[in-house]
Amino acid sequence: MVARVSATLTPHESPTPTPAPTAHSASPPRRRTRVLALPEARWALASTVAFLLAFPLDLSGASAWLYGPLYVIAYAAGGWEPALEGLRALRGKTLDVDLLMIVAALGAAAIGQVLDGALLIVIFATSGALEALATARTADSVRGLLDLAPATATRLSPDGDGSGETEETVPTDRLAVGDVLLVRPGERIGADGRVLEGESDADQATITGEPLPVPKAPGDEVFAGTLNGTGALRVRVERDPADSVIARIVTLVEEASRTKAPTQLFIEKVEQRYAVGVVAATLAVFAVPLAFGADLTGALLRAMTFMIVASPCAVVLATMPPLLSAIANAGRHGVLVKSAVAMERLGEIDTAALDKTGTLTEGTPEVTAVRPLPGSGLDEDALLALAAAAEHPSEHPLGRAVVTVARTRGLRLAPVKDFAALPGHGVRATVDGHTVAVGRAGEYAQDGHGTQVLVTRDETPVGTLTLTDRLRTDAAAAVSALVTATGTSPVLLTGDNRAAAERVAADTGLTDVRADLLPEGKVDAVRELQGAGRKVLFVGDGVNDAPALAAAYSGVAMGRAGADLALETADAVVVRDELTTIPAVVRLSRTARRLVAQNLVIAGVCIAVLVVWDLAGHLPLPLGVAGHEGSTVLVGLNGLRLLREGAWRRAVAP
């Protein structure tokens, strides 16, 4: 039977009331498609019931008028859909093995083996229902995320006279960028956005993986479907609901389910020729014994059995279930793999190349040192307060980092006048009657400890601040895991200066460091590695790294920085920004490839054994049907093992 492996996902919104917040209440609900919810299962059940009613009547010698119509129902209920699909394929000049099964069943009925033909139809329909159920479960594992998104949200809009605001309950799919939402305690957030007012915490385990609720304050990002805690929030929508993180997870998995890996494409190409060969061989199995005086019924029955057992149904089903299961499992853990091709490629890489800023580091600077200059008359707190006051109106990441640490220390920031941002040079402002400038300058610009900025007062240097891009807590562990997974040490490719790159390399265990690279330099480095015969996985933040992501054999983007570009360029996106998931997905892909190989061996051995048995001996039709369809179901279920949580745990900690 040809596997129709697809995972068509449709938005599913739950109108049920929002539950009270709990530590893990944002975990995706376990969706389980009911068997009888599938049309394939209902038709298979009807065929099976009709067969089970006809079978004892047939054996008891009852009138054919009693059991004959039941056999007709069994044939029709179980065979109409594959027959229709097979005829459609035939009109497209494609020989579908579904059609071979139906022809074999009708051929058996034509020579009086009505019971055997009905048994073939029943098992054929049952295996199809099992495949449909397995595929639905694959979709369920990711589609359940959409149940987290609320059906409605409270939108705020100004009154006509401007004296207040009006609350309006609207469907979340009608929200637009710029809308302001009121999120009450215990409600799920209706869209991806940013907090304007209010403080609370959000259970966002489904998006970022944090096991505990995350504090939210003005300026913080929030995600659709995550659960608000005890405070009320005003949130400005920053993404269209169709582009929310949850929606993109489902969209990417749906798109991936429609792609086909190279192995699958090769199998389907061979399948057409193989199917024609099966038809030709079936005619030979029928005609040759008949020419030598064999019984017509016996020759035709042997030929029908041969057509069944030689059909490559299990081979066709060998590839996609493992790959789609791996995609679904990775999606549940925050890694969006865009296609079956990408999942297969991830298992082939033998070298990793890593960007620094936003990949190995968090991409968020923090002040690590405050150094007043001798003779300035300032201590650390005074210098920091002076710099933070000047930086307070700035939106630059370095400025925000200075202001943040000053507030953390509880320092008072003096009011400023005449603020000016000087692109490439820093900021200047009047603080307590003095002209204060904060920015890079000459020997203060860079060293191996981070980025240094010079603080001047009335054009006289008074001190320096050192800001460092923090290393991700899991960076060293991820590098070590990539070494284990690929057998080679990753390469660091960065546009930063060599001193900063060497510092990060020393902290993470990297030995091959290439610094001061422009985007085209990273592309050249990737091509150099691949020119040496390596299959390179490039990991970057998806902005300046886009050319290298596209040039590499496989590309993975960190999702929080440049996510839109990452989705366009990379083969996979790490939504949670957890580096350790990257080697885990590589290992998961390799497990999927091993299961594909196992499935091909199982399918090939079963076909060979059954064909030899039929040609060299006497293979009963029911046994041939059971062996053929049993192997088809077996390879399907073998591939779907990767849906289990244990498969991910083994990939994380092999």
Side-chain angles (χ1 to χ4, degrees), residues 205-279:
T206 55
I207 303 299
T208 62
E210 289 101 332
L212 297 176
V214 179
K216 296 296 179 183
D220 290 339
E221 187 176 16
V222 293
F223 302 102
T226 56
L227 191 63
N228 184 30
T230 56
L233 298 175
R234 289 163 58 93
V235 174
R236 182 179 61 241
V237 177
E238 292 193 341
R239 289 194 190 97
D240 186 276
D243 294 328
S244 69
V245 172
I246 288 179
R248 285 187 294 180
I249 290 174
V250 178
T251 299
L252 286 173
V253 174
E254 183 180 20
E255 291 174 352
S257 73
R258 292 196 294 263
T259 64
K260 296 179 180 179
T263 303
Q264 179 73 9
L265 293 173
F266 174 77
I267 288 173
E268 292 183 0
K269 182 178 180 180
V270 173
E271 175 200 347
Q272 293 303 306
R273 299 174 183 175
Y274 183 88
V276 173
V278 168
V279 172

Side-chain angles (χ1 to χ4, degrees), residues 281-304:
T282 299
L283 294 175
V285 170
F286 171 67
V288 172
L290 199 62
F292 285 92
D295 175 62
L296 174 64
T297 300
L300 186 57
L301 187 59
R302 182 186 292 267
M304 292 299 100

Side-chain angles (χ1 to χ4, degrees), residues 153-159 164-170 180 182 184:
T154 302
R155 183 169 63 190
L156 300 176
S157 55
D159 287 338
E165 291 180 319
T166 300
E167 296 183 10
E168 179 186 11
T169 301
V170 297
V180 176
L182 173 62
R184 294 183 172 88

Side-chain angles (χ1 to χ4, degrees), residues 12 39 45 57 76 86 90 120 145 150 167 192 243 274 328 337 354 447 477 486 522 616 641 654:
H12 210 77
L45 179 62
L57 293 174
L90 197 60
L120 170 59
L145 289 172
E167 296 183 10
D192 288 3
D243 294 328
Y274 183 88
V337 183
L354 308 174
D447 65 14
T486 64
K522 294 183 181 181
R641 287 193 294 137

Side-chain angles (χ1 to χ4, degrees), residues 547-572:
L549 286 167
Y553 186 77
S554 183
V556 175
M558 307 303 290
R560 291 185 185 174
D564 291 339
L565 185 56
L567 289 173
E568 292 294 328
T569 310
D571 297 312

Side-chain angles (χ1 to χ4, degrees), residues 180-545:
V180 176
L181 308 181
L182 173 62
V183 185
R184 294 183 172 88
E187 289 185 343
R188 291 197 182 275
I189 297 169
D192 288 3
R194 198 165 297 276
V195 177
L196 294 177
E197 293 181 17
E199 294 185 358
S200 185
D201 50 59
D203 186 349
Q204 53 188 39
T206 55
I207 303 299
T208 62
E210 289 101 332
L212 297 176
V214 179
K216 296 296 179 183
D220 290 339
E221 187 176 16
V222 293
F223 302 102
T226 56
L227 191 63
N228 184 30
T230 56
L233 298 175
R234 289 163 58 93
V235 174
R236 182 179 61 241
V237 177
E238 292 193 341
R239 289 194 190 97
D240 186 276
D243 294 328
S244 69
V245 172
I246 288 179
R248 285 187 294 180
I249 290 174
V250 178
T251 299
L252 286 173
V253 174
E254 183 180 20
E255 291 174 352
S257 73
R258 292 196 294 263
T259 64
K260 296 179 180 179
T263 303
Q264 179 73 9
L265 293 173
F266 174 77
I267 288 173
E268 292 183 0
K269 182 178 180 180
V270 173
E271 175 200 347
Q272 293 303 306
R273 299 174 183 175
Y274 183 88
V276 173
V278 168
V279 172
T282 299
L283 294 175
V285 170
F286 171 67
V288 172
L290 199 62
F292 285 92
D295 175 62
L296 174 64
T297 300
L300 186 57
L301 187 59
R302 182 186 292 267
M304 292 299 100
T305 303
F306 175 85
M307 178 182 288
I308 293 168
V309 299
S311 295
C313 304
V315 174
V316 173
L317 194 62
T319 303
M320 293 307 291
L323 294 175
L324 290 183
S325 297
I327 289 171
N329 204 336
R332 287 204 307 266
H333 293 88
V335 183
L336 309 183
V337 183
K338 294 175 67 173
S339 67
V341 175
M343 178 55 77
E344 191 172 40
R345 279 176 167 248
L346 282 168
E348 299 177 36
I349 63 106
D350 55 23
T351 302
L354 308 174
D355 172 50
K356 183 182 78 69
T357 305
T359 301
L360 290 174
T361 65
E362 294 183 354
T364 303
E366 65 174 354
V367 177
T368 55
V370 182
R371 299 186 182 94
L373 292 179
S376 66
L378 301 176
D379 59 14
E380 287 190 9
D381 283 353
L383 175 62
L384 185 59
L386 187 68
E391 290 280 11
H392 185 261
S394 174
E395 289 297 319
H396 193 280
L398 295 180
R400 289 200 298 269
V402 173
V403 173
T404 296
V405 72
R407 285 177 169 170
T408 300
R409 294 190 182 188
L411 302 180
R412 172 188 170 275
L413 303 187
V416 301
K417 299 179 181 179
D418 306 320
F419 172 82
L422 309 174
H425 298 282
V427 301
R428 184 176 61 238
T430 300
V431 181
D432 288 337
H434 298 281
T435 300
V436 178
V438 183
R440 300 183 183 182
E443 71 271 21
Y444 298 105
Q446 291 280 353
D447 65 14
H449 300 288
T451 299
Q452 286 195 339
V453 296
L454 175 66
V455 183
T456 65
R457 182 173 57 187
D458 297 329
E459 300 186 359
T460 301
V462 293
T464 63
L465 307 177
T466 300
L467 295 98
T468 304
D469 188 2
R470 285 183 297 186
L471 194 69
R472 293 184 187 274
T473 56
D474 59 351
V479 169
S480 176
L482 281 171
V483 173
T484 302
T486 64
T488 59
S489 178
V491 181
L492 179 60
L493 305 179
T494 178
D496 269 3
N497 66 90
R498 177 158 292 275
E502 293 285 2
R503 177 177 56 83
V504 170
D507 291 341
T508 55
L510 294 170
T511 56
D512 189 346
V513 179
R514 308 185 189 189
D516 299 309
L517 297 177
L518 295 174
E520 56 267 29
K522 294 183 181 181
V523 172
D524 292 340
V526 168
R527 288 175 176 167
E528 176 190 336
L529 293 169
Q530 294 185 155
R534 300 185 185 182
K535 294 182 177 179
V536 177
L537 167 67
F538 183 79
V539 184
D541 65 0
V543 183
N544 295 329
D545 298 319

Side-chain angles (χ1 to χ4, degrees), residues 55-71:
F55 176 66
L57 293 174
D58 187 2
L59 293 184
S60 67
S63 170
W65 289 103
L66 291 177
Y67 61 79
L70 293 172
Y71 276 138

